[in-house]
Amino acid sequence: MFAALIRTATGLRRDFGEVEQLQQSLSGARDFVAKAQQRIEQMILSDLQLVRPAAGVLTPNVSTDGDGISEFVLALSGAENFIRGNEHFAISLALRVNGETRAALIYAPIDDKLFYAEKDSGTYIYSAFHSTKMRVSKLSNPSDLTIGYSALGSRLSALGTARITGCPALDLASVATGKFDAFVSEPIDYAELAAGELMVTESGGKIWEHDGQLFVTNGIVDL
């Protein structure tokens, strides 16, 4: 899975350089990014299906059942950032087996930053020299908290410092690695959520939905 992501990185960084030149025409930038997104999906999935040819596929645009046992879940998170030449976007990739997420990666190609998790093995930030196991924060004092949000809303003034990054996958990774203490969002397409969900739970956090909102916390914050 890691090799498939890295193989696409060069092309994705090239695409990002080109979209930065299209900012005078957002419709042109959106068309360009949509085509780049399709190409990214095809490249990654073609690599992965060499290893698991019978696996199903779930993306925001494609769903195939495969053998009903294995499934790759893939999304480009933060596409609107990509369109505007903002480097805060990531590829979210998860492997599910028998309905359970077993492995997850979130890769920010411009920063070359990779987060990964394996079921029952923890969440890590990858380095070529040493991968560091991460845990959620231990903060609970409302004035100390940093909370990510997917959009403006009434809860913004309720607790701590608010952040709106436009990339839910990296927001989930931020909770998992202790950079955020919580994340609140409207429901997210599962293709964008699957990898981050495993990272949060493997690092000691909690994730749930209630009253039409998604809540992700370090397990201590009371939202």
Side-chain angles (χ1 to χ4, degrees), residues 39-116:
R39 187 169 65 253
I40 292 162
E41 289 180 0
Q42 291 169 356
M43 288 179 64
I44 293 173
L45 292 173
S46 64
D47 281 354
L48 295 174
Q49 289 179 320
L50 289 174
V51 181
R52 290 179 181 249
V57 171
L58 177 64
T59 79
N61 305 306
V62 177
S63 177
T64 61
D65 291 336
D67 60 10
I69 299 173
S70 300
E71 179 183 52
F72 290 112
V73 184
L74 173 67
L76 176 65
S77 185
E80 284 298 313
N81 287 342
F82 193 168
I83 288 166
R84 292 306 305 269
N86 182 330
E87 63 190 25
H88 197 76
F89 63 92
I91 303 169
S92 175
L93 174 63
L95 170 64
R96 290 175 58 79
V97 180
N98 293 322
E100 180 179 56
T101 304
R102 302 295 303 176
L105 301 95
I106 295 174
Y107 180 52
I110 306 304
D111 294 335
D112 195 25
K113 183 174 289 186
L114 175 71
F115 306 89
Y116 70 94

Side-chain angles (χ1 to χ4, degrees), residues 173-185:
S174 292
V175 175
T177 57
K179 303 298 188 295
F180 285 179
D181 306 296
F183 174 62
V184 181
S185 173

Side-chain angles (χ1 to χ4, degrees), residues 109-187:
I110 306 304
D111 294 335
D112 195 25
K113 183 174 289 186
L114 175 71
F115 306 89
Y116 70 94
E118 292 186 67
K119 180 68 175 175
D120 300 325
S121 296
T123 297
Y124 298 82
I125 295 179
Y126 173 81
S127 164
F129 304 101
H130 177 69
S131 292
T132 304
K133 189 172 186 178
M134 303 300 295
R135 298 289 296 176
V136 293
S137 75
K138 298 299 182 184
L139 299 179
S140 60
N141 188 328
S143 64
D144 295 334
L145 303 178
T146 297
I147 300 178
Y149 293 85
S150 63
L152 291 170
S154 60
R155 302 183 69 90
L156 276 171
S157 61
L159 293 171
T161 301
R163 294 284 185 268
I164 301 177
T165 74
C167 183
L170 287 176
D171 290 335
L172 291 165
S174 292
V175 175
T177 57
K179 303 298 188 295
F180 285 179
D181 306 296
F183 174 62
V184 181
S185 173
E186 298 301 313

